[in-house]
Amino acid sequence: MIRASAFSVVGGLAIGVATNLLQGVLPGHFNSIANSGSVWVVGAFVAGALATRRAPLLGLLTQVFAVVGYYGYAELFRDGMGSAYAPAVWLGFALVGGPIFGLAGTWWRRGAGRRPIMGAGLLGGVFGMDGLWHLMVLHYLPTGMAFCVVAVLVPLALGRTWRERLLGVLCAALVAPLAVSVLSIAAAVTGL
């Protein structure tokens, strides 16, 4: 458990720093890819997939330390992180999303029955959420389409059989609009 926790902490810090760096390097609207919710939760999903126990906790650690890495890098090496409001909001998202995607990762890797489909579909669905958000709210057509393609590719790549792959895509298609609704409410409440 100590090694898994250390991996989650280091992995989370790396995700936070990398997304901060890539945001300043990627051209135009593509810089939003580096700092999207779907890209961030991949770390929690991987932590959960690698875990033999306590996947939600490891997903949580990954996401919390991604926030620490992102804003810590901004504070130390950029112009500062600004107000503490944004890090607090993202920490709140980490407290919810980390355990969910840690669990999704372990369901995909070790689950039985429908759980592998749901795990892969949930990860694909969050990419679909970012795709729909970029298309409908931000009006970033190329990045929105890229996210939507990844939303389909994730369950196709993670499925073990064609049945699992197709059901995973269907699951992602159901999750994406639901997640956009949740994101819309969260954005309205938090002002982000």
Side-chain angles (χ1 to χ4, degrees), residues 32 69 77 181:
S32 65
F77 300 105
S181 300

Side-chain angles (χ1 to χ4, degrees), residues 51-75:
T52 54
R53 300 181 343 204
R54 298 188 178 99
L57 174 63
L58 296 173
L60 172 71
L61 284 173
T62 303
Q63 296 304 279
V64 166
F65 280 92
V67 174
V68 170
Y70 183 89
Y71 286 102
Y73 183 85
E75 186 64 31

Side-chain angles (χ1 to χ4, degrees), residues 134-155:
H134 279 76
L135 290 170
M136 298 182 331
V137 177
L138 301 176
H139 306 290
Y140 297 168
L141 182 64
T143 52
M145 293 305 295
F147 277 119
C148 288
V149 167
V150 173
V152 172
L153 291 177
V154 165

Side-chain angles (χ1 to χ4, degrees), residues 32-123:
S32 65
I33 290 175
N35 195 30
S36 67
S38 56
V39 171
W40 274 47
V41 298
V42 168
F45 186 89
V46 169
L50 295 175
T52 54
R53 300 181 343 204
R54 298 188 178 99
L57 174 63
L58 296 173
L60 172 71
L61 284 173
T62 303
Q63 296 304 279
V64 166
F65 280 92
V67 174
V68 170
Y70 183 89
Y71 286 102
Y73 183 85
E75 186 64 31
L76 295 172
F77 300 105
R78 293 201 176 223
D79 296 334
M81 67 178 188
S83 144
Y85 181 72
V89 168
W90 288 110
L91 189 58
F93 288 141
L95 295 174
V96 174
I100 290 170
F101 285 92
L103 187 61
T106 201
W107 277 5
W108 167 73
R109 177 121 187 250
R110 292 181 169 67
R114 294 186 180 118
R115 286 184 176 183
I117 295 165
M118 292 169 35
L122 188 60
L123 185 60

Side-chain angles (χ1 to χ4, degrees), residues 19 22 45 51 68 77 80 85 97-98 106 127 130 147 151 158 162-163 169 176-177 192:
T19 56
L22 288 173
F45 186 89
V68 170
F77 300 105
Y85 181 72
T106 201
F127 278 96
D130 269 332
F147 277 119
L158 296 179
W162 276 107
R163 181 179 180 279
V169 170
L192 292 180

